[in-house]
């Protein structure tokens, strides 16, 4: 073995170290070339840059182009997707684990109407006998919504909201969020979850919700772009709706009007974004800070201060989703042909039963399925029959793991 001089040995060693380091850098760079910039984010698919377009409902780039092409020429100002949708799957508790139902990543944005069962209507109430002092109100709501669901091929879930209490005695208003989280798990095949407060009547049963707001054409027809959003109590809030949107990115639809956005009637699409939003929505900070209109103020805060929320939300005009009765000063009043009427704030008035009856008589006539009539007659109607955790798929748990 030939002994090298010490200075020559050091030079050779440094050359080898330098070559190894160059190889390492080249390998690292090559391995990240095809990796989306958001893939390393700890929120699994949520960009650390709020202005970045996030592929939340993975689909092929070709499908995205088709959707853009189909809505070209509409009144919306659609922005081209800068990043093609991802094709990888991210583990999600909103996914079905049985292997027999579709994972969220396989439910893609589409310009086609959802098949029967792809829209889930969700109602929740407190488990008490009455509501707003209106006799038989729950029976009426059940009839109204089940008849609509039957006509259009949708599903309906009615939760007992008192069984969804959060862990530290938070006000019951916040229970809406765990109900929604569980709805996505209980119905792994649905694409859209439609929340309606109890104090809403569907007035126009002929109107398909797909044609009305979920389709590209319906969304474009009813969306309000670059318009002032009012604050609770009325008057400009200083915030505006976005000037444009990309249909395939929309995961949340809500009306905007006189008192701003009302979280009593809205649509949420199955996506990783929606899972993230529901988790953020019940942040302890929000629950502590927002006490006037609790979960509504929480939503408003997220919309105002998180661009990623605005990017994936469309606001409709007031009457498209959330018209009010004529006595109500919260916003625009219901007109014949409008979809729903919302009795928000009615509970404080002794005239509430009268107002409800007035609009109940104005609703469009519709056929009530015989099965719905029978269940109401024999007491087997699925009113508040869903309770937290009961009948859930194995292994699914919404409770936090932290002590």
């Amino acid at each position: 073995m030939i002994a090298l001089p010490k200075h020559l040995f050091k030079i050779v060693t440094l050359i080898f170290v330098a070559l190894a380091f160059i190889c390492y850098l080249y390998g690292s760079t090559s391995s990240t070339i095809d990796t989306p910039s958001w893939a390393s984010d700890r929120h699994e698919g949520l960009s650390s840059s709020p202005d970045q377009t996030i592929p939340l409902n993975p689909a092929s780039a070709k499908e995205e182009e088709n959707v853009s092409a189909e809505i070209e020429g509409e009144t919306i100002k659609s922005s081209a997707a800068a990043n093609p949708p991802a094709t990888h799957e991210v583990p999600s508790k909103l996914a079905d684990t049985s292997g027999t139902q579709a994972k969220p990543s396989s439910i893609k944005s589409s310009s086609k109407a959802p098949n029967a069962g792809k829209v889930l209507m969700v109602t929740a109430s407190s488990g008490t006998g009455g509501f707003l002092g209106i006799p038989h109100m729950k029976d009426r709501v059940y009839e109204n919504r089940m008849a609509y669901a039957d006509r259009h091929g949708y599903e309906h879930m009615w939760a007992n909201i008192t069984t969804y209490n959060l862990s530290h005695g938070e006000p019951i208003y916040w229970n809406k969020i765990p109900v929604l989280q569980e709805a996505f798990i209980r119905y792994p095949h649905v694409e859209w979850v439609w929340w309606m407060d109890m104090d809403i009547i569907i007035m126009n049963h002929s109107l398909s919700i797909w044609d009305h707001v979920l389709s590209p054409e319906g969304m474009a027809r009813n969306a309000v772009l670059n318009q002032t959003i009012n604050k609770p109590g009325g008057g400009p809030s200083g915030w505006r709706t976005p000037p444009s949107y990309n249909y395939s990115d929309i995961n949340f639809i809500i009306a905007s009007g006189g008192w701003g956005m009302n979280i009593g009637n809205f649509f949420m699409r199955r996506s990783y974004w929606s899972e993230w939003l529901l988790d953020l929505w019940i942040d302890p900070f929000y629950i502590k800070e927002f006490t006037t209109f609790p979960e509504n103020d929480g939503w408003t805060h997220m919309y105002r201060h998180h661009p990623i929320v605005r990017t994936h939300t469309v606001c409709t005009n007031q009457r498209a989703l959330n018209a009010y009765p004529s006595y109500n000063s919260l916003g625009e009043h219901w007109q014949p042909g409008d979809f729903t009427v919302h009795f928000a704030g009615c509970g404080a008035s002794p005239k509430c039963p009268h107002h409800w009856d007035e609009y109940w008589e104005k609703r469009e006539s519709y056929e009530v399925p015989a099965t719905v009539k029978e269940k109401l007659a024999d007491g087997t109607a699925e009113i508040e029959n869903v309770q937290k955790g009961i009948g859930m798929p194995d292994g699914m748990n919404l409770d936090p793991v932290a002590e």
Side-chain angles (χ1 to χ4, degrees), residues 7 58 71-72 89 121 123 126 171 252 283 343 359 403:
H7 68 279
I71 62 176
E72 186 177 358
E89 293 189 4
M121 303 165 64
T123 304
S126 64
F252 202 97
D283 187 288
F343 293 81
Y359 282 86
E403 295 181 358

Side-chain angles (χ1 to χ4, degrees), residues 312-325:
H312 296 280
T313 299
V314 152
C315 292
T316 72
N317 66 77
Q318 181 89 76
R319 285 171 48 203
L321 288 179
N322 204 51
Y324 293 106

Side-chain angles (χ1 to χ4, degrees), residues 27 39 80 98 120 151 164 192 198 220 224 253 277 313 323 348-349 388:
S98 66
L120 173 67
R151 178 169 183 168
Y164 288 82
W192 287 96
M198 264 278 292
V224 290
I253 306 172
L277 183 90
T313 299
S349 171
K388 181 180 179 181

